[in-house]
Amino acid sequence: MAAKKLRRAKLPQELCERLGRHQITTCQDFLCLPLLELMKVTGQSYSNVQKLLCKVSLACAPKMQTAYEMKVRRTVNPSSAFLSTSLHGLDEVLHGGVPCGSLTEITSPPGCGKTQFCIMMSVLATLPISMGGLDGAVIYIDTESAFSAERLVEIAESRFPAYFDSEEKLFSMTRSIHLYRELTCGSVLRRIKSLEEEIISKKVKLIIIDSVASVVRKEFDPKLQGNLTERSNFLAKGASLLKYLAEEFSIPVILTNQITTRLSNGLAVQADLVSPADDLSLDSGSVTAALGNTWSHSVNTRLILQFDDLPTRQILVAKSPVAPFSTFYYTIEKSGFVLQGKTRTLIILPLQLVF
């Protein structure tokens, strides 16, 4: 909540502009300054600065709510609590779909459809609430230049032909998805920091980052001295800002991640080329989501995509505050993800998953 912009703390516009000239734009910036410094930059007296500190503190403090209030809110308006994946079995297990107000991670080896899933969810977020959507815009941060506008339109037309029955509706949908290509950790972090006002002005209802691991792995080699600390700091800052945005605006945030093979000798190596042909077992190692424990504990829900018998793949609900460990089988069609008939819950995987 400390990342909230000072403009939203109901401070006078003139004061916000004055503070902005000193690069003081968030509640955190304001609250971290000494009293004497605040008096200097605001031009206010000691007592007035004390009042401003109280006002800013209250504006960014999380509001208390009871478990009963949370339950009632979701019961009365369940559409505001989840974004439907349009995959009935998965939505049922997740109590409605991808949860709003929290971080959902999609982890998999290459080729399982992480980006396809993200593009499909982008279409779904723009749909009317009556169709399971959120009737809003999407911020899509693409770090791998993998987003395809052609695929976006194909999924929309194939999955919802009755709704997207005109060029006008397709045009409106594509205009609601705001794509940013950010190729470095610094640019990703700057983009996240700038999203608050954009969420308000563009009525954004979904944030997607595809993928977090891509920029981190390019810039930080954990074997080099100091890199592991810098990487952890970047991930902690990014996760904190995204959690704030998700909670403050009650929107879902979807992030994609890669996987790592953890060998039995304790070493971890990148597993970007895992495929059905790879012969991994509990003797040689185990498969784990990349980016380490700091990141793993930051995400609220984790879905793992993995290969099965081609063209069939699996969605595993590996981490969720509401869902049991479940497995769903899917194929990727023109319309996006399509669930197949088999579903299992509380199973033990042939590959041990470590988080």
Side-chain angles (χ1 to χ4, degrees), residues 128-149:
I129 292 173
S130 61
M131 294 178 65
L134 296 175
D135 194 21
V138 178
I139 296 288
Y140 196 116
I141 299 175
D142 180 11
T143 70
E144 296 185 310
S145 300
F147 182 88
S148 167

PDB file of all heavy atoms in Angstrom, residues 128-149:
ATOM      1  N   PRO A 128     -17.852  -9.028 -21.462  1.00  0.00           N
ATOM      2  CA  PRO A 128     -18.801  -8.533 -20.453  1.00  0.00           C
ATOM      3  C   PRO A 128     -18.824  -9.449 -19.230  1.00  0.00           C
ATOM      4  O   PRO A 128     -18.516 -10.645 -19.328  1.00  0.00           O
ATOM      5  CB  PRO A 128     -20.147  -8.576 -21.191  1.00  0.00           C
ATOM      6  CG  PRO A 128     -19.811  -8.613 -22.634  1.00  0.00           C
ATOM      7  CD  PRO A 128     -18.500  -9.313 -22.751  1.00  0.00           C
ATOM      8  N   ILE A 129     -19.194  -8.902 -18.099  1.00  0.00           N
ATOM      9  CA  ILE A 129     -19.267  -9.672 -16.859  1.00  0.00           C
ATOM     10  C   ILE A 129     -20.243 -10.834 -16.999  1.00  0.00           C
ATOM     11  O   ILE A 129     -20.022 -11.915 -16.453  1.00  0.00           O
ATOM     12  CB  ILE A 129     -19.665  -8.747 -15.691  1.00  0.00           C
ATOM     13  CG1 ILE A 129     -18.529  -7.766 -15.408  1.00  0.00           C
ATOM     14  CG2 ILE A 129     -19.982  -9.556 -14.431  1.00  0.00           C
ATOM     15  CD1 ILE A 129     -18.848  -6.696 -14.402  1.00  0.00           C
ATOM     16  N   SER A 130     -21.306 -10.639 -17.777  1.00  0.00           N
ATOM     17  CA  SER A 130     -22.295 -11.705 -17.970  1.00  0.00           C
ATOM     18  C   SER A 130     -21.720 -12.925 -18.675  1.00  0.00           C
ATOM     19  O   SER A 130     -22.269 -14.026 -18.599  1.00  0.00           O
ATOM     20  CB  SER A 130     -23.480 -11.173 -18.782  1.00  0.00           C
ATOM     21  OG  SER A 130     -23.054 -10.729 -20.066  1.00  0.00           O
ATOM     22  N   MET A 131     -20.566 -12.754 -19.366  1.00  0.00           N
ATOM     23  CA  MET A 131     -19.914 -13.865 -20.058  1.00  0.00           C
ATOM     24  C   MET A 131     -18.718 -14.394 -19.277  1.00  0.00           C
ATOM     25  O   MET A 131     -17.936 -15.183 -19.800  1.00  0.00           O
ATOM     26  CB  MET A 131     -19.481 -13.424 -21.455  1.00  0.00           C
ATOM     27  CG  MET A 131     -20.636 -13.100 -22.394  1.00  0.00           C
ATOM     28  SD  MET A 131     -20.066 -12.528 -24.016  1.00  0.00           S
ATOM     29  CE  MET A 131     -19.235 -13.995 -24.645  1.00  0.00           C
ATOM     30  N   GLY A 132     -18.555 -13.960 -18.028  1.00  0.00           N
ATOM     31  CA  GLY A 132     -17.435 -14.410 -17.213  1.00  0.00           C
ATOM     32  C   GLY A 132     -16.212 -13.522 -17.291  1.00  0.00           C
ATOM     33  O   GLY A 132     -15.184 -13.809 -16.669  1.00  0.00           O
ATOM     34  N   GLY A 133     -16.304 -12.431 -18.074  1.00  0.00           N
ATOM     35  CA  GLY A 133     -15.175 -11.509 -18.200  1.00  0.00           C
ATOM     36  C   GLY A 133     -15.198 -10.434 -17.135  1.00  0.00           C
ATOM     37  O   GLY A 133     -15.985 -10.490 -16.186  1.00  0.00           O
ATOM     38  N   LEU A 134     -14.351  -9.428 -17.313  1.00  0.00           N
ATOM     39  CA  LEU A 134     -14.267  -8.321 -16.359  1.00  0.00           C
ATOM     40  C   LEU A 134     -14.612  -6.982 -16.997  1.00  0.00           C
ATOM     41  O   LEU A 134     -14.560  -5.951 -16.334  1.00  0.00           O
ATOM     42  CB  LEU A 134     -12.859  -8.259 -15.747  1.00  0.00           C
ATOM     43  CG  LEU A 134     -12.439  -9.479 -14.906  1.00  0.00           C
ATOM     44  CD1 LEU A 134     -10.987  -9.338 -14.459  1.00  0.00           C
ATOM     45  CD2 LEU A 134     -13.355  -9.668 -13.711  1.00  0.00           C
ATOM     46  N   ASP A 135     -14.958  -7.012 -18.303  1.00  0.00           N
ATOM     47  CA  ASP A 135     -15.399  -5.807 -19.009  1.00  0.00           C
ATOM     48  C   ASP A 135     -14.399  -4.663 -18.846  1.00  0.00           C
ATOM     49  O   ASP A 135     -14.759  -3.540 -18.516  1.00  0.00           O
ATOM     50  CB  ASP A 135     -16.779  -5.382 -18.494  1.00  0.00           C
ATOM     51  CG  ASP A 135     -17.434  -4.354 -19.414  1.00  0.00           C
ATOM     52  OD1 ASP A 135     -17.047  -4.269 -20.593  1.00  0.00           O
ATOM     53  OD2 ASP A 135     -18.333  -3.620 -18.943  1.00  0.00           O
ATOM     54  N   GLY A 136     -13.123  -4.990 -19.065  1.00  0.00           N
ATOM     55  CA  GLY A 136     -12.106  -3.958 -18.883  1.00  0.00           C
ATOM     56  C   GLY A 136     -10.944  -4.130 -19.829  1.00  0.00           C
ATOM     57  O   GLY A 136     -10.949  -4.976 -20.728  1.00  0.00           O
ATOM     58  N   ALA A 137      -9.930  -3.308 -19.612  1.00  0.00           N
ATOM     59  CA  ALA A 137      -8.730  -3.334 -20.449  1.00  0.00           C
ATOM     60  C   ALA A 137      -7.670  -4.235 -19.820  1.00  0.00           C
ATOM     61  O   ALA A 137      -7.800  -4.679 -18.684  1.00  0.00           O
ATOM     62  CB  ALA A 137      -8.193  -1.920 -20.632  1.00  0.00           C
ATOM     63  N   VAL A 138      -6.611  -4.487 -20.593  1.00  0.00           N
ATOM     64  CA  VAL A 138      -5.527  -5.384 -20.171  1.00  0.00           C
ATOM     65  C   VAL A 138      -4.191  -4.684 -20.381  1.00  0.00           C
ATOM     66  O   VAL A 138      -3.973  -4.045 -21.413  1.00  0.00           O
ATOM     67  CB  VAL A 138      -5.540  -6.697 -20.983  1.00  0.00           C
ATOM     68  CG1 VAL A 138      -4.375  -7.610 -20.577  1.00  0.00           C
ATOM     69  CG2 VAL A 138      -6.871  -7.421 -20.830  1.00  0.00           C
ATOM     70  N   ILE A 139      -3.309  -4.785 -19.385  1.00  0.00           N
ATOM     71  CA  ILE A 139      -1.905  -4.391 -19.554  1.00  0.00           C
ATOM     72  C   ILE A 139      -1.107  -5.671 -19.755  1.00  0.00           C
ATOM     73  O   ILE A 139      -1.098  -6.546 -18.892  1.00  0.00           O
ATOM     74  CB  ILE A 139      -1.367  -3.639 -18.327  1.00  0.00           C
ATOM     75  CG1 ILE A 139      -2.101  -2.313 -18.120  1.00  0.00           C
ATOM     76  CG2 ILE A 139       0.134  -3.423 -18.446  1.00  0.00           C
ATOM     77  CD1 ILE A 139      -1.771  -1.252 -19.136  1.00  0.00           C
ATOM     78  N   TYR A 140      -0.453  -5.790 -20.898  1.00  0.00           N
ATOM     79  CA  TYR A 140       0.320  -6.995 -21.228  1.00  0.00           C
ATOM     80  C   TYR A 140       1.774  -6.589 -21.398  1.00  0.00           C
ATOM     81  O   TYR A 140       2.133  -5.904 -22.356  1.00  0.00           O
ATOM     82  CB  TYR A 140      -0.225  -7.607 -22.519  1.00  0.00           C
ATOM     83  CG  TYR A 140       0.198  -9.044 -22.787  1.00  0.00           C
ATOM     84  CD1 TYR A 140      -0.736 -10.069 -22.830  1.00  0.00           C
ATOM     85  CD2 TYR A 140       1.527  -9.371 -23.011  1.00  0.00           C
ATOM     86  CE1 TYR A 140      -0.361 -11.392 -23.080  1.00  0.00           C
ATOM     87  CE2 TYR A 140       1.918 -10.683 -23.266  1.00  0.00           C
ATOM     88  CZ  TYR A 140       0.969 -11.683 -23.295  1.00  0.00           C
ATOM     89  OH  TYR A 140       1.352 -12.979 -23.544  1.00  0.00           O
ATOM     90  N   ILE A 141       2.631  -6.996 -20.456  1.00  0.00           N
ATOM     91  CA  ILE A 141       4.062  -6.707 -20.523  1.00  0.00           C
ATOM     92  C   ILE A 141       4.769  -7.934 -21.099  1.00  0.00           C
ATOM     93  O   ILE A 141       4.799  -8.998 -20.492  1.00  0.00           O
ATOM     94  CB  ILE A 141       4.617  -6.353 -19.132  1.00  0.00           C
ATOM     95  CG1 ILE A 141       3.906  -5.104 -18.586  1.00  0.00           C
ATOM     96  CG2 ILE A 141       6.127  -6.113 -19.196  1.00  0.00           C
ATOM     97  CD1 ILE A 141       4.286  -4.740 -17.161  1.00  0.00           C
ATOM     98  N   ASP A 142       5.318  -7.769 -22.288  1.00  0.00           N
ATOM     99  CA  ASP A 142       5.907  -8.875 -23.042  1.00  0.00           C
ATOM    100  C   ASP A 142       7.427  -8.731 -23.013  1.00  0.00           C
ATOM    101  O   ASP A 142       7.978  -7.789 -23.575  1.00  0.00           O
ATOM    102  CB  ASP A 142       5.374  -8.823 -24.475  1.00  0.00           C
ATOM    103  CG  ASP A 142       5.928  -9.927 -25.357  1.00  0.00           C
ATOM    104  OD1 ASP A 142       6.554 -10.861 -24.828  1.00  0.00           O
ATOM    105  OD2 ASP A 142       5.732  -9.857 -26.586  1.00  0.00           O
ATOM    106  N   THR A 143       8.107  -9.662 -22.358  1.00  0.00           N
ATOM    107  CA  THR A 143       9.566  -9.582 -22.251  1.00  0.00           C
ATOM    108  C   THR A 143      10.284 -10.475 -23.256  1.00  0.00           C
ATOM    109  O   THR A 143      11.508 -10.489 -23.303  1.00  0.00           O
ATOM    110  CB  THR A 143      10.034  -9.968 -20.826  1.00  0.00           C
ATOM    111  OG1 THR A 143       9.832 -11.367 -20.636  1.00  0.00           O
ATOM    112  CG2 THR A 143       9.288  -9.182 -19.770  1.00  0.00           C
ATOM    113  N   GLU A 144       9.531 -11.239 -24.040  1.00  0.00           N
ATOM    114  CA  GLU A 144      10.145 -12.175 -24.986  1.00  0.00           C
ATOM    115  C   GLU A 144       9.721 -11.925 -26.428  1.00  0.00           C
ATOM    116  O   GLU A 144      10.034 -12.720 -27.307  1.00  0.00           O
ATOM    117  CB  GLU A 144       9.771 -13.616 -24.595  1.00  0.00           C
ATOM    118  CG  GLU A 144      10.322 -14.049 -23.242  1.00  0.00           C
ATOM    119  CD  GLU A 144      10.033 -15.502 -22.942  1.00  0.00           C
ATOM    120  OE1 GLU A 144       8.857 -15.902 -23.083  1.00  0.00           O
ATOM    121  OE2 GLU A 144      10.960 -16.237 -22.564  1.00  0.00           O
ATOM    122  N   SER A 145       8.985 -10.827 -26.647  1.00  0.00           N
ATOM    123  CA  SER A 145       8.459 -10.521 -27.989  1.00  0.00           C
ATOM    124  C   SER A 145       7.671 -11.704 -28.543  1.00  0.00           C
ATOM    125  O   SER A 145       7.772 -12.049 -29.727  1.00  0.00           O
ATOM    126  CB  SER A 145       9.597 -10.148 -28.949  1.00  0.00           C
ATOM    127  OG  SER A 145      10.284  -9.010 -28.484  1.00  0.00           O
ATOM    128  N   ALA A 146       6.885 -12.343 -27.676  1.00  0.00           N
ATOM    129  CA  ALA A 146       6.135 -13.546 -28.061  1.00  0.00           C
ATOM    130  C   ALA A 146       4.665 -13.267 -28.332  1.00  0.00           C
ATOM    131  O   ALA A 146       3.963 -14.131 -28.876  1.00  0.00           O
ATOM    132  CB  ALA A 146       6.256 -14.598 -26.949  1.00  0.00           C
ATOM    133  N   PHE A 147       4.177 -12.084 -27.973  1.00  0.00           N
ATOM    134  CA  PHE A 147       2.754 -11.774 -28.162  1.00  0.00           C
ATOM    135  C   PHE A 147       2.419 -11.688 -29.642  1.00  0.00           C
ATOM    136  O   PHE A 147       3.183 -11.131 -30.431  1.00  0.00           O
ATOM    137  CB  PHE A 147       2.411 -10.459 -27.477  1.00  0.00           C
ATOM    138  CG  PHE A 147       0.958 -10.088 -27.570  1.00  0.00           C
ATOM    139  CD1 PHE A 147       0.049 -10.530 -26.627  1.00  0.00           C
ATOM    140  CD2 PHE A 147       0.496  -9.297 -28.612  1.00  0.00           C
ATOM    141  CE1 PHE A 147      -1.290 -10.190 -26.714  1.00  0.00           C
ATOM    142  CE2 PHE A 147      -0.837  -8.953 -28.713  1.00  0.00           C
ATOM    143  CZ  PHE A 147      -1.735  -9.403 -27.756  1.00  0.00           C
ATOM    144  N   SER A 148       1.262 -12.242 -30.016  1.00  0.00           N
ATOM    145  CA  SER A 148       0.825 -12.220 -31.414  1.00  0.00           C
ATOM    146  C   SER A 148      -0.579 -11.643 -31.505  1.00  0.00           C
ATOM    147  O   SER A 148      -1.531 -12.222 -30.973  1.00  0.00           O
ATOM    148  CB  SER A 148       0.841 -13.637 -31.997  1.00  0.00           C
ATOM    149  OG  SER A 148       0.159 -13.681 -33.234  1.00  0.00           O
ATOM    150  N   ALA A 149      -0.711 -10.504 -32.189  1.00  0.00           N
ATOM    151  CA  ALA A 149      -2.029  -9.898 -32.372  1.00  0.00           C
ATOM    152  C   ALA A 149      -2.915 -10.786 -33.251  1.00  0.00           C
ATOM    153  O   ALA A 149      -4.128 -10.868 -33.041  1.00  0.00           O
ATOM    154  CB  ALA A 149      -1.875  -8.514 -33.006  1.00  0.00           C
TER     155      ALA A 149
END
